[in-house]
Amino acid sequence: GESVGLHLPTLSVQEGDNSIINCAYSNSASDYFIWYKQESGKGPQFIIDIRSNMDKRQGQRVTVLLNKTVKHLSLQIAATQPGDSAVYFCAEFSPGNTPLVFGKGTRLSVIA
Amino acid sequence: DGGITQSPKYLFRKEGQNVTLSCEQNLNHDAMYWYRQDPGQGLRLIYYSQIVNDFQKGDIAEGYSVSREKKESFPLTVTSAQKNPTAFYLCATRGQGNSGNTIYFGEGSWLTVV
């Protein structure tokens, strides 16, 4: 079946460095992608989204890159801070109003 | 304060009991969802509802039931048929984000079987 997966289950970075979290998706029909941040014991928070007609979108300290050729999504966090420590999920939507498909998540640990 | 409200935050269930988790939203979103999350795991879809008085099973619906009598409310009942109900439960709604219809989550409810 179609799935969303992540290359790295854990990622440790030094405070101030840039972080890159990767995600592979297998449904070529997916046309909308979202990154979420989940802190321990809380619900996931929306970070940034991107439609399939774009290959890059920037927010505050975050950038999402979409490579449809290889079905790859990444989240870049600039100047990573201790408050960025959390689990990050990518998710995809396919046309037809089907439910969102989530990857398993990557835990980001920021070393002070 | 707008958004999605889940209650209770923590709930303990005895063996053989049914319990109901509440989810209320004032975002005027049509679609609502229930996900289950086990420690260190991803999100698994239990049930979802695209519109009032209609709902569909997700990937792990066995042992759960829902209702959608009002747009604002989508309660989840964990029945005694659910053999391993201890988990973190997340309610979500779907509405317009910056680039498309995105999903917004509540703060979750922890259910523990004692």
Side-chain angles (χ1 to χ4, degrees):
Chain A
E2 303 290 354
S3 66
V4 174
L6 294 173
H7 295 307
L8 297 172
T10 59
L11 178 65
S12 296
V13 298
Q14 291 286 339
E15 182 179 358
D17 287 352
N18 296 336
S19 302
I20 300 176
I21 302 171
N22 296 304
C23 178
Y25 66 95
S26 57
N27 186 354
S28 57
S30 293
D31 62 355
Y32 178 53
F33 304 88
I34 309 168
W35 280 101
Y36 288 93
K37 172 186 180 183
Q38 186 178 25
E39 296 175 326
S40 182
K42 296 186 177 180
Q45 294 174 279
F46 171 92
I47 300 174
I48 192 168
D49 58 2
I50 189 168
R51 293 211 71 90
S52 59
N53 60 354
M54 300 176 68
D55 52 21
K56 180 179 180 179
R57 191 153 188 265
Q58 288 184 293
Q60 187 177 11
R61 280 202 308 118
V62 295
T63 301
V64 56
L65 299 177
L66 175 63
N67 185 331
K68 294 180 287 294
T69 302
V70 294
K71 294 198 264 294
H72 184 266
L73 193 69
S74 69
L75 177 71
Q76 299 179 1
I77 304 173
T80 311
Q81 302 169 1
D84 295 326
S85 293
V87 175
Y88 290 81
F89 294 94
C90 66
E92 63 178 317
F93 266 125
S94 303
N97 220 26
T98 55
L100 204 59
V101 175
F102 287 90
K104 288 191 175 182
T106 293
R107 181 173 299 280
L108 176 65
S109 295
V110 181
I111 304 165
Chain B
D1 191 19
I4 304 165
T5 302
Q6 290 188 237
S7 63
K9 179 69 175 177
Y10 300 96
L11 184 61
F12 296 90
R13 192 194 92 170
K14 293 183 181 179
E15 294 280 353
Q17 274 187 339
N18 292 352
V19 293
T20 297
L21 306 179
S22 170
C23 180
E24 302 284 327
Q25 56 110 351
N26 61 5
L27 301 170
N28 200 33
H29 290 169
D30 286 315
M32 297 186 73
Y33 305 80
W34 274 105
Y35 289 90
R36 170 180 171 144
Q37 187 176 35
D38 293 283
Q41 300 296 315
L43 304 175
R44 293 187 289 170
L45 182 65
I46 305 172
Y47 267 98
Y48 64 104
S49 169
Q50 306 277 27
I51 199 168
V52 175
N53 292 323
D54 185 52
F55 49 82
Q56 286 81 39
K57 293 182 179 180
D59 301 320
I60 55 165
E62 185 176 352
Y64 299 97
S65 66
V66 293
S67 63
R68 187 82 187 279
E69 297 176 1
K70 299 186 300 182
K71 187 175 187 177
E72 299 80 17
S73 180
F74 190 40
L76 173 73
T77 296
V78 185
T79 74
S80 57
Q82 170 50 241
K83 298 306 178 188
N84 185 24
T86 296
F88 188 47
Y89 290 87
L90 287 159
C91 177
T93 70
R94 183 175 178 180
Q96 190 64 39
N98 292 326
S99 301
N101 279 342
T102 192
I103 286 195
Y104 299 93
F105 287 89
E107 284 302 299
S109 293
W110 290 95
L111 174 62
T112 303
V113 174
V114 296

